Amino acid sequence: MINFAKAKFIKSAPTYAEKPEKNLKEVVFVGKSNVGKSSLINALVNNKKMAFTSSKPGYTKLLNYFEIDEKFYLVDAPGYGYTASGAKHLDNFSKMMETYFDNPSLAGVVFIVDSRHKMSNDDKDFYEFVKDKDIPFILIANKCDKLNQSEKAQIKKHIQIEMGIENFILASTLSKVGIDEIKAKISQIL
Ligand SMILES: Nc1nc2c(ncn2[C@@H]2O[C@H](COP(=O)(O)OP(=O)(O)O)[C@@H](O)[C@H]2O)c(=O)[nH]1
Ligand SMILES: [Mg+2]
């Protein structure tokens, strides 16, 4: 099992063609802006500053490569669907992701949604896109610290029954719920 003990930021790349030199498998983290991608990366590597360290102008438009345990790259992808740039942003995101998914090193997708809401149209579009690709993916419903029991049951029903996604992890990067399960799933994929 990968223990996420050794993690370091390697580089930001506009496309996977400019990824780091070492040839390692990649697991990409994708989701709407603000859903908690950076926080999840920091929780996995147990370093609050990891994803923040690489923060710089244009950060969110690039693929950010973190090397984990010298075994794989965790790739922080740009967030999608934020109101300010609207549809255009999603369009650019789609183009970038379509190219990224041709990446032969891509081993898995960690897809993060907000457990407080039903999946948005952007989430659904991305889900349809990933499903068609035949690449293992893990669905994370984050920020579950904000939910009571009945709201937890509601999001479970939405994801499993309405969306037909049997396996998902209810998580909170804030209260460290689901983190070990996410680590185990990533190890399994790799
Ligand atoms: N309540 C709660 N807030 C969270 C959680 N994870 C992230 N956040 C907050 O959500 C905001 C966006 O997080 P960030 O990791 O930057 O999201 P990103 O844009 O997807 O990388 C920040 O204010 C975080 O503190 C969580 O599990 N619970
Ligand atoms: Mg981020």
Side-chain angles (χ1 to χ4, degrees), residues 32-40 142-146 171-175:
K32 197 168 69 174
S33 301
N34 220 42
V35 76
K37 289 183 300 301
S38 301
S39 305
L40 178 58
N142 192 33
K143 307 198 184 186
C144 75
D145 54 281
K146 295 277 194 189
S172 166
T173 63
L174 197 72
S175 45

Side-chain angles (χ1 to χ4, degrees), residues 37-38 59-60 76:
K37 289 183 300 301
S38 301
Y59 173 70
T60 52
D76 190 9

Side-chain angles (χ1 to χ4, degrees), residues 26-95:
E26 300 178 22
V27 174
V28 69
F29 282 48
V30 183
K32 197 168 69 174
S33 301
N34 220 42
V35 76
K37 289 183 300 301
S38 301
S39 305
L40 178 58
I41 290 167
N42 291 341
L44 289 172
V45 305
N46 202 20
N47 176 352
K48 286 201 175 96
K49 289 182 182 151
M50 177 60 69
F52 178 73
T53 307
S54 65
S55 177
K56 55 185 136 187
Y59 173 70
T60 52
K61 294 192 186 77
L62 299 167
L63 300 160
N64 293 284
Y65 280 82
F66 299 88
E67 188 183 307
I68 311 294
D69 292 358
E70 295 169 352
K71 286 208 179 84
F72 78 103
Y73 292 123
L74 188 165
V75 181
D76 190 9
Y80 57 78
Y82 220 59
T83 44
S85 38
K88 193 163 166 278
H89 186 169
L90 187 64
D91 224 45
N92 288 338
F93 171 85
S94 309
K95 272 186 218 139

